[in-house]
Amino acid sequence: MMNIRTFSRWFLAAGMVWSLMVSLAAMAGVSVESARIWPAPDHTRLVLDMGGKIDHKVFALSGPSRLVIDLKNASLKADFEKLDLSGSPVRRIRSAPRNGNDLRVVLDLESDIKPRSFQLEPNQQYGHRLVVDLIDEGGLKARKPSEPTVSQNTNGKRDIIVVVDAGHGGEDPGAIGPRGTREKDVVLKMAKTLADLIEAKPGYTARLTRNGDYYIDLRSRTLLARKHNADLFVSVHADAFRTPQPRGASVFALSQRGATSETARWLAKSENRSDLIGGAGGVSLDGRDEMLAGVLLDLSMTASINSSLGVGSSILGRLGSVAKLHKKGVEQAAFAVLKSPDIPSILVEAGFISNPKEEQNLSSSWYRERISRAVFEGIEDYFQKTPPPGTLLAWQKQNSRGDGSVSQYRIRRGDTLSGLARENQISVSELMQYNGLNDDRVMVGQTIRIPSS
């Protein structure tokens, strides 16, 4: 048996060995394991895979244009020569030791940029990462809002503009399925398919927030929708859960709680006052007093949410015929991409990528085509009933029948009388009276008459 004196000597020796190991580890520092680069239209993202957290400093230099990344107590294992720099403003990446144990990485650039850096914790796919964004401020300032696309050279016949947003992208893979399917890849393919379907329909124009594998921050996605003067913003995602059982497609609109916080944010920022309310054109907050601006913004946000719920219900009705629904009604949440106060915005969860069967479905082009077509048909159904003023569809509807005319509608799964009333801009009581209904219950397959609003 070890006596106390022997144990003390052993413990002291073990402590010395441990201290030596810690000192050696500190001397070794954190290594740069590998690197990736993601070019996007208005910025380029450089990602350094690190062996752990790192103390760093980033600054830009001019004449010639360079970006310097100083890494404290770091070593280099990555081979920057293997990076494909095409499509980015980076001409060359070089590195050298600095101050003994530190590392300096220098990016030779084509022009001056604004740098931004932050660190990311490990996720399912990557370990510790240092992210450096190279922001092209000149390109951002040069951008101008897009003019509405006109289907004919006649006023009042413009296209309905739908902005389709593929969630995640670049360094953000989104959810990852049991077989390794990445959400960012699935939703980009679906977004492109949906955009193609929309673009092929006369009276519609589609725009993508991203058409490649790069990341756009959430606020910028809604800003892109405004720059395109969108009538509708559709963000495509694939859901995930900690267990494999949940499945089914969902549609989300902005919650009232999210709307309240967003209204406050808009009123608090003076630069928002000159933004137009109403998507493709409407009321400006510029020059309005605080109370009037708040009222206008509340009215716009309420109308936007109501329209979002209407188009969401229409999409759910179509989705229910091609896929299992996770919830029968449109859900509401405070998602950042839905917080545009002047553009109806919905988020479509195409299914649970964490469910093995749905992961398999979402990996197949035929299933993605079915989901995308159902979403498109839901959008088309909604705008056929309530086309935005000044569009080709509104002109066609106005000239196809006179005031006081009636359309017939067959009830589909997920439809409610209140939802139909909202979509057609009439009250529930008027719709009940017009169809001789005693209550607001309707049945699938039932045909109701809808007067023109």
Side-chain angles (χ1 to χ4, degrees):
M1 181 179 294
M2 185 183 297
N3 59 36
I4 294 177
R5 180 177 297 177
T6 305
F7 176 78
S8 298
R9 290 174 179 171
W10 174 85
F11 187 81
L12 180 62
M16 292 174 65
V17 170
W18 174 253
S19 297
L20 180 60
M21 291 174 65
V22 171
S23 299
L24 290 172
M27 290 175 62
V30 178
S31 61
V32 181
E33 304 288 342
S34 59
R36 290 177 299 285
I37 195 162
W38 309 92
D42 58 359
H43 75 281
T44 293
R45 173 162 290 185
L46 174 68
V47 181
L48 303 179
D49 289 310
M50 310 299 301
K53 290 186 177 180
I54 186 77
D55 288 334
H56 74 285
K57 183 169 66 172
V58 175
F59 57 93
L61 297 173
S62 297
S65 301
R66 288 154 293 160
L67 180 68
V68 179
I69 307 170
D70 282 337
L71 305 172
K72 188 174 180 59
N73 197 20
S75 60
L76 181 65
K77 289 184 180 179
D79 184 359
F80 292 133
E81 295 293 330
K82 293 182 178 179
L83 279 180
D84 181 6
L85 303 178
S86 59
S88 79
V90 184
R91 292 178 174 173
R92 183 178 61 151
I93 302 179
R94 48 196 170 91
S95 63
R98 182 173 179 271
N99 297 335
N101 295 327
D102 298 344
L103 177 68
R104 169 163 284 185
V105 177
V106 179
L107 280 62
D108 295 321
L109 305 171
E110 294 178 354
S111 58
D112 290 349
I113 57 90
K114 178 183 178 181
R116 176 181 62 191
S117 67
F118 55 93
Q119 297 189 61
L120 292 174
E121 295 290 331
N123 63 13
Q124 288 177 275
Q125 190 170 6
Y126 302 115
H128 289 277
R129 288 152 290 161
L130 173 62
V131 178
V132 181
D133 283 339
L134 288 63
I135 302 169
D136 178 12
E137 283 198 310
L140 285 172
K141 291 175 182 177
R143 287 187 174 190
K144 294 181 179 179
S146 305
E147 293 297 323
T149 303
V150 180
S151 57
Q152 297 184 30
N153 294 326
T154 306
N155 290 333
K157 296 181 183 178
R158 68 172 182 85
D159 283 357
I160 290 173
I161 300 170
V162 182
V163 171
V164 184
D165 170 52
H168 308 282
E171 192 62 20
D172 177 12
I176 299 177
R179 297 192 306 169
T181 306
R182 299 181 301 186
E183 180 183 1
K184 68 171 185 176
D185 299 327
V186 168
V187 299
L188 179 59
K189 292 173 181 176
M190 289 186 60
K192 287 182 175 180
T193 301
L194 177 57
D196 287 344
L197 291 168
I198 294 168
E199 191 72 24
K201 185 72 176 178
Y204 288 86
T205 290
R207 292 289 182 264
L208 290 164
T209 57
R210 69 177 180 98
N211 55 17
D213 189 11
Y214 50 85
Y215 182 76
I216 302 173
D217 68 79
L218 301 179
R219 290 289 180 187
S220 293
R221 296 172 193 250
T222 58
L223 288 176
L224 281 170
R226 182 166 290 105
K227 285 180 178 180
H228 288 304
N229 293 331
D231 296 287
L232 176 65
F233 176 84
V234 182
S235 190
V236 184
H237 288 255
D239 218 335
F241 197 66
R242 60 180 180 272
T243 62
Q245 287 78 23
R247 61 193 183 101
S250 307
V251 177
F252 286 85
L254 183 63
S255 66
Q256 194 56 52
R257 179 173 56 86
T260 301
S261 64
E262 188 65 9
T263 298
R265 191 186 78 89
W266 267 66
L267 290 173
K269 292 196 173 185
S270 58
E271 61 267 28
N272 287 330
R273 296 302 183 88
S274 60
D275 283 0
L276 287 178
I277 298 300
V283 181
S284 173
L285 298 182
D286 201 17
R288 311 286 183 178
D289 65 53
E290 194 74 16
M291 181 175 292
L292 179 56
V295 171
L296 290 172
L297 198 54
D298 276 339
L299 289 171
S300 179
M301 186 70 88
T302 300
S304 177
I305 291 177
N306 286 339
S307 296
S308 302
L309 291 170
V311 71
S313 296
S314 185
I315 289 173
L316 269 181
R318 290 288 184 163
L319 278 175
S321 63
V322 300
K324 175 181 171 57
L325 297 180
H326 185 61
K327 294 286 179 65
K328 293 182 179 180
V330 179
E331 300 179 73
Q332 292 182 262
F335 290 128
V337 290
L338 302 180
K339 289 186 175 182
S340 180
D342 53 341
I343 302 172
S345 305
I346 59 167
L347 186 146
V348 177
E349 296 280 9
F352 280 80
I353 204 167
S354 52
N355 180 285
K357 179 61 177 175
E358 293 203 336
E359 179 191 21
Q360 182 181 358
N361 286 341
L362 291 168
S363 299
S364 63
S365 57
W366 69 269
Y367 188 79
R368 292 195 302 268
E369 168 82 22
R370 290 179 67 191
I371 296 293
S372 299
R373 187 168 293 279
V375 173
F376 166 66
E377 289 173 352
I379 293 171
E380 189 181 18
D381 286 349
Y382 176 78
F383 282 126
Q384 284 290 343
K385 299 171 192 169
T386 56
T391 61
L392 176 63
L393 265 68
W395 181 87
Q396 289 173 338
K397 183 176 182 179
Q398 183 178 355
N399 287 273
S400 64
R401 64 178 194 237
D403 291 339
S405 60
V406 177
S407 64
Q408 291 190 332
Y409 178 77
R410 185 180 294 275
I411 301 296
R412 296 194 303 268
R413 184 185 303 172
D415 282 339
T416 62
L417 207 62
S418 59
L420 292 172
R422 181 170 56 243
E423 290 172 17
N424 290 277
Q425 300 178 355
I426 61 176
S427 68
V428 174
S429 59
E430 286 176 315
L431 201 53
M432 288 171 56
Q433 184 178 2
Y434 202 81
N435 286 275
L437 301 175
N438 296 322
D439 54 45
D440 62 356
R441 289 177 296 180
V442 289
M443 298 175 60
V444 174
Q446 177 182 353
T447 299
I448 65 172
R449 302 164 70 231
I450 301 176
S452 60
S453 57

